[in-house]
Amino acid sequence: DTLRLAEDDSYVVRRSYHGTVVARRKTDLGFELAGKVIQVLVDVGQYVDADTALARLDSGALEAKRAELVAQQEQAQAKLEELKNGPRQETIAVARAEVSRLAYHIELLELQHSCLKILLTGVAVSREDYDAARYSLLISKTEHAAAQFKLAELTKGSRPEQIKAQEASIQQIAIQIARVDMDLDNCILRAPFAGPIAARLVDDGKVVQAGTSVVQLLESHKLEAWVGVPPQELAGLRVGESHVIVIEGITNEANIERILPMVDRNTHTRT
């Protein structure tokens, strides 16, 4: 028998290459704060969902600080209400009575000063007693002027700049509380994505620094197959193409996501 040969431009050869199935992401998770780990809530091999609590830091000091700031905020808020509402009538009445008392006291001291001045000319009183009376009168006049100023201030009420300053103080305390709330939230280590716990690196009671790895998490629902291909075979491969991979006897369809540019020194292939 004879065959008539026909020339063709190309032909297809099936090639198979071995690879490794790996998790797309593997993350060592740690706290953003330094502190004492009071509880690690997961163990190796345990599957966790995204946002699951993995470990907790001791937050007692932060909770006490927050309670202190809340008390300061309430006190500042009460002072702001007082500034807005103005002083109570009882407070104004007390200030007005103090002005009157000092006025009567000045009249008494002026009479005493006049008498001592007359007696001083007749050497019936010492110079020291006269000077003491004069200075007492001056001090009382100063106190009376201060009381009058305080009464006028109470009568006029709070100035706008005082109210604005108090509002700014309250806002500053609110920012501090928000910052403490963020630190309290950071005392709980949460899973950024779902997957199994690959390693538990810290136990309960360990004092850790910020960033110290506590657990290692794998992303199991998004897997990649890393396959080493000879560089000369890459000419026919394109990112986005679909190819067949076999994992434990099960055939799967997979797309080429990326081709690494470097050649592995040990296998002389590109991944």
Side-chain angles (χ1 to χ4, degrees), residues 140-151:
S140 295
K141 288 183 177 180
T142 303
E143 292 176 346
H144 181 258
Q148 286 180 318
F149 178 79
K150 182 178 180 180
L151 176 60

Side-chain angles (χ1 to χ4, degrees), residues 84-261:
K84 288 183 176 180
N85 297 331
R88 299 171 59 184
Q89 293 301 318
E90 294 85 353
T91 304
I92 296 176
V94 170
R96 185 174 286 111
E98 178 67 10
V99 171
S100 299
R101 183 190 71 80
L102 289 172
Y104 293 142
H105 186 62
I106 289 173
E107 290 182 7
L108 176 62
L109 291 177
E110 286 177 341
L111 290 175
Q112 292 177 351
H113 178 263
S114 299
C115 294
L116 290 174
K117 188 175 182 180
I118 295 173
L119 294 175
L120 180 64
T121 57
V123 197
V125 66
S126 66
R127 184 72 185 183
E128 289 79 5
D129 292 340
Y130 173 77
D131 289 339
R134 185 166 63 89
Y135 287 129
S136 296
L137 177 60
L138 293 175
I139 292 173
S140 295
K141 288 183 177 180
T142 303
E143 292 176 346
H144 181 258
Q148 286 180 318
F149 178 79
K150 182 178 180 180
L151 176 60
E153 187 178 30
L154 291 174
T155 305
K156 291 180 180 179
S158 303
R159 299 192 303 271
E161 54 269 26
Q162 289 179 307
I163 295 177
K164 288 183 178 179
Q166 190 64 22
E167 289 174 344
S169 177
I170 293 174
Q171 185 178 6
Q172 184 178 11
I173 296 175
I175 293 174
Q176 294 178 4
I177 293 175
R179 187 178 296 114
V180 172
D181 288 339
M182 290 177 60
D183 289 340
L184 285 171
D185 185 65
N186 289 332
C187 285
I188 302 177
L189 182 63
R190 301 184 182 276
F193 50 82
I197 300 298
R200 173 172 167 164
L201 307 173
V202 170
D203 290 324
D204 300 353
K206 176 71 174 180
V207 177
V208 298
Q209 298 298 321
T212 301
S213 297
V214 177
V215 296
Q216 187 181 82
L217 180 65
L218 299 178
E219 187 178 29
S220 60
H221 67 285
K222 290 185 178 181
L223 301 177
E224 292 182 341
W226 290 8
V227 181
V229 179
Q232 62 272 18
E233 301 294 339
L234 290 175
L237 299 179
R238 296 290 183 270
V239 174
E241 290 179 344
S242 178
H243 291 268
V244 175
I245 59 173
V246 180
I247 303 175
E248 297 181 349
I250 300 176
T251 301
N252 302 270
E253 290 288 332
N255 297 325
I256 298 179
E257 184 169 304
R258 58 192 179 275
I259 300 175
L260 302 187

Side-chain angles (χ1 to χ4, degrees), residues 18-59:
H18 292 283
T20 304
V21 177
V22 298
R24 187 172 185 178
R25 286 187 288 181
K26 180 176 69 173
T27 306
D28 290 340
L29 302 175
F31 292 101
E32 296 183 18
L33 305 174
K36 181 179 180 180
V37 180
I38 59 174
Q39 190 177 14
V40 179
L41 303 170
V42 293
D43 211 339
V44 177
Q46 180 178 344
Y47 185 90
V48 297
D49 294 323
D51 204 41
T52 299
L54 306 178
R56 294 193 296 117
L57 280 181
D58 184 7
S59 59

